[in-house]
Amino acid sequence: MKATAEAARRFLVARHFLAPARSLAGGVDAVLEVFRKLGSIQFDPIAVAGRNHDLVLHARVAGYEPAWCDVLYERREIFEATNKALSFVPTSEFPWFRHVMGRKGPRFHATVLTENADVAERVLERFRADGQLSSLDFERETGPTKDWFGMPENAVRAVLESYTVAGVLGLARRDGKLRYYDLLERLLPAEVLAHQVPEREQLRHKLLSRHRAHGLLASGGAGGTFDRIAPPKSTPERVGRNTLHEELVELGALVPVDVEGVRGKRFVLEQEVALLEAPPEPTPSVAFIAPFDSLLWDTALLANLFDFTYVWEGFFPPARRRWGYYVLPIISGDRFVGRIEPRIDLEDAAVRVLNVWWEDGFAPRRAGGFVDAMREALRAYLRFAGAERLDWAPHLATEKRLFLSRP
């Protein structure tokens, strides 16, 4: 099929529940609806402006509270999996995520358990007896396993990861960056664990899940979109992702699309073809988009469709940053119009706006409905942050007057 650039923009905004923003009602059930639609949401513990997965959900779910996602995790309705990056995935999809590569592949992790058999048995006995444990609950032990730099690795840590790859242990919870594990049989429903899916079907599902997360990817993805699924080309030992992608097209799960002004074919989910053919007109709403939101994965497509340059600068040294450390793109209707750098100060119950950058040619006062929509977005963000006031940096006096907002 063919699609105009305008239709593609409107389609992406609509299928990401951003037309309008924060309109998906239903509390925890609405959160689950986003997970089912996008397949997974990237988890990141950094919380200077809100954790990434919370920001993704806040942009889409009315009145979103971070506790809602935590509740789903505690109920085991979502679990952690590597899906492009560390992500939350609906527990119902666990059978399609059994095939885990780990840091160095299943063969490496199977060898870890064999070479550290005594340690592995002691670790497993502790879990059987005590339940949830972290690596800090064990004494450090040495073994033949080496880290990335060829140095002896803590055998307990290696065994914990390998048991996770093998499907014996799962992540039970987190305390900051500290992971707590438990026997997988205690963490997931028996009927989910009993559901066996062939490996090839698992790999196809993972590939499709990343198309679900974005909505209009090319066959090669973008920026590591399809990493850790399979190499591009098939070998006698394993199927490649090019073949898996062809199978998804042949099965009708993905439909090729020529998008106006975009090089190469894009692919849309079969069930979303009708939405791409007739996307709704954009609404006057504003949302702040998380740095690792799947809408931002394909930076080349952002440049072509939205005329928006996006680079995550969190890993850059300060001198190399054009914008800032934790900056959120601002989307209004079907256009990216700027960026905002907020900080949540829990002790002072405030949100501090360090900076705002508007796209060239965009004037907030002259954009119909934007000022009111921005005020509502800021009020919603204050509620999300549990803050009582906005503190604007001194050089943002104009924005402060224009968007003066209270909870």
Side-chain angles (χ1 to χ4, degrees):
M1 61 179 296
K2 296 181 183 297
T4 65
E6 180 182 51
R9 278 197 310 273
R10 293 181 175 185
F11 162 77
L12 282 172
V13 172
R15 62 95 54 196
H16 274 272
F17 299 115
L18 294 170
R22 299 176 304 281
S23 60
L24 198 59
V28 173
D29 290 338
V31 172
L32 266 179
E33 186 175 345
V34 178
F35 274 109
R36 294 188 186 107
K37 175 79 168 185
L38 301 184
S40 63
I41 298 174
Q42 185 168 338
F43 168 85
D44 190 275
I46 296 174
V48 293
R51 299 174 298 183
N52 184 79
H53 58 286
D54 287 325
L55 288 166
V56 170
L57 292 164
H58 161 65
R60 294 158 169 84
V61 177
Y64 175 75
E65 299 177 13
W68 294 351
C69 195
D70 295 337
V71 164
L72 290 175
Y73 191 47
E74 291 166 4
R75 290 181 186 171
R76 307 300 172 201
E77 294 187 60
I78 57 175
F79 72 100
E80 288 186 39
T82 298
N83 199 28
K84 182 179 182 292
L86 183 62
S87 303
F88 287 134
V89 177
T91 297
S92 59
E93 298 191 21
F94 173 80
W96 289 268
F97 283 85
R98 286 183 186 273
H99 181 81
V100 179
M101 293 296 293
R103 292 178 300 162
K104 299 181 180 180
R107 184 178 301 175
F108 169 84
H109 292 287
T111 302
V112 167
L113 296 176
T114 301
E115 293 181 344
N116 300 277
D118 291 343
V119 176
E121 184 56 33
R122 288 196 297 273
V123 165
L124 204 54
E125 284 301 319
R126 281 287 307 280
F127 279 105
R128 289 169 179 154
D130 300 337
Q132 296 181 16
L133 298 166
S134 77
S135 60
L136 298 183
D137 293 309
F138 297 88
E139 294 291 332
R140 180 184 177 90
E141 299 199 40
T142 58
T145 307
K146 300 293 192 298
D147 64 16
W148 289 107
F149 306 101
M151 302 296 291
E153 185 171 12
N154 181 349
V156 171
R157 286 182 178 273
V159 163
L160 289 173
E161 182 178 359
S162 295
Y163 269 143
T164 304
V165 171
V168 176
L169 298 178
L171 292 177
R173 61 185 177 89
R174 286 175 176 269
D175 185 358
K177 293 185 178 181
L178 185 62
R179 300 181 180 188
Y180 282 81
Y181 301 83
D182 203 350
L183 298 175
L184 196 62
E185 63 204 52
R186 292 176 181 158
L187 299 177
L188 298 179
E191 62 272 18
V192 171
L193 292 174
H195 188 178
Q196 299 292 329
V197 176
E199 181 179 312
R200 194 184 189 104
E201 187 178 335
Q202 290 184 51
L203 296 175
R204 270 203 310 264
H205 181 88
K206 286 183 180 179
L207 191 65
L208 184 62
S209 76
R210 299 183 196 180
H211 281 277
R212 288 163 60 194
H214 182 270
L216 207 55
L217 289 173
S219 60
T225 308
F226 299 132
D227 285 356
R228 300 189 185 186
I229 295 177
K233 296 182 179 181
S234 298
T235 67
E237 292 76 30
R238 62 182 306 181
V239 64
R241 62 176 181 260
N242 292 344
T243 299
L244 295 170
H245 197 275
E246 291 169 1
E247 291 175 359
L248 287 170
V249 174
E250 290 170 2
L251 290 168
L254 291 175
V255 177
V257 184
D258 287 322
V259 179
E260 175 190 16
V262 177
R263 292 179 59 186
K265 289 192 185 301
R266 295 280 158 168
F267 294 84
V268 63
L269 302 179
E270 185 276 333
Q271 62 267 33
E272 295 184 358
V273 166
L275 180 61
L276 179 57
E277 289 177 331
E281 291 188 13
T283 53
S285 72
V286 168
F288 307 142
I289 305 300
F292 306 119
D293 194 301
S294 55
L295 179 60
L296 304 178
W297 280 358
D298 193 333
T299 55
L301 191 66
L302 287 176
N304 285 333
L305 281 185
F306 295 91
D307 193 24
F308 184 72
T309 300
Y310 179 71
V311 179
W312 165 237
E313 297 182 331
F315 299 123
F316 290 6
R320 287 189 56 205
R321 292 175 187 152
R322 180 179 176 186
W323 292 290
Y325 166 56
Y326 209 90
V327 174
L328 311 181
I330 302 170
I331 193 167
S332 176
D334 65 345
R335 289 291 187 178
F336 286 94
V337 299
R339 306 158 209 262
I340 187 169
E341 187 175 17
R343 291 290 182 276
I344 298 174
D345 186 339
L346 294 176
E347 291 186 4
D348 205 24
V351 168
R352 309 194 189 284
V353 182
L354 305 187
N355 217 335
V356 176
W357 301 263
W358 302 112
E359 288 293 281
D360 291 342
F362 180 76
R365 285 191 182 90
R366 295 201 296 269
F370 178 79
V371 171
D372 287 339
M374 183 70 173
R375 287 173 178 168
E376 173 53 34
L378 289 167
R379 285 193 292 268
Y381 187 76
L382 278 172
R383 292 192 295 268
F384 163 76
E388 297 175 357
R389 72 177 192 276
L390 276 172
D391 289 343
W392 296 84
H395 69 282
L396 298 175
T398 300
E399 282 77 11
K400 180 178 180 179
R401 288 192 300 270
L402 195 59
F403 305 124
L404 184 61
S405 179
R406 299 184 184 280

